[in-house]
Amino acid sequence: QVQLVESGGGLVQPGGSLRLSCAASGILSRFYVMGWYRQNLGKQRELVATMTSGGITNYGDSVKGRITISRDNVKNTVYLQMNNLKPEDTAEYYCNAQAPNNYWGQGTKVTVSS
């Protein structure tokens, strides 16, 4: 049974930083495309970042230069380091694994507000 468990969300002021974690079980995340997506109520889920098994990364246009995806193969965990956060980054953030079926975590809420 594949499980993705996100953590690290919370309230942060504009310009601040957060690191989200996605702990995977039931799969070895290093063999698959892992990613982060975000969604607000009434809006479509949008790409934040993905990483292939070979380490190739892809970022959404709105987060390029501010967000970094990384992976710890020993901990079987994928991270999302978010810097210089803006109010428009406020969303529910979801971890995704294409393994090869599509799996999603339960989400972690990020709120950027002063």
Side-chain angles (χ1 to χ4, degrees):
Q1 181 180 356
V2 177
Q3 280 193 314
L4 304 173
V5 180
E6 301 101 331
S7 61
L11 173 64
V12 63
Q13 292 187 341
S17 298
L18 278 177
R19 189 178 79 156
L20 306 184
S21 301
C22 170
S25 60
I27 59 168
L28 293 175
S29 60
R30 66 181 180 270
F31 291 130
Y32 303 104
V33 176
M34 301 294 296
W36 288 92
Y37 293 77
R38 66 188 184 187
Q39 187 172 25
N40 279 307
L41 282 174
K43 294 188 177 181
Q44 286 190 327
R45 194 167 290 189
E46 66 170 340
L47 167 72
V48 178
T50 60
M51 176 180 277
T52 69
S53 57
I56 297 172
T57 57
N58 183 44
Y59 294 94
D61 288 340
S62 61
V63 304
K64 283 179 181 175
R66 301 187 295 118
I67 288 181
T68 304
I69 187 171
S70 62
R71 185 173 61 210
D72 184 326
N73 292 335
V74 173
K75 295 182 178 180
N76 206 23
T77 298
V78 178
Y79 301 99
L80 191 71
Q81 178 66 45
M82 303 190 294
N83 299 323
N84 190 21
L85 283 163
K86 304 176 180 181
E88 51 264 41
D89 294 317
T90 295
E92 193 81 17
Y93 283 71
Y94 296 92
C95 181
N96 172 262
Q98 299 174 32
N101 294 332
N102 229 5
Y103 296 96
W104 295 95
Q106 82 288 350
T108 186
K109 178 70 174 177
V110 172
T111 302
V112 184
S113 175
S114 55

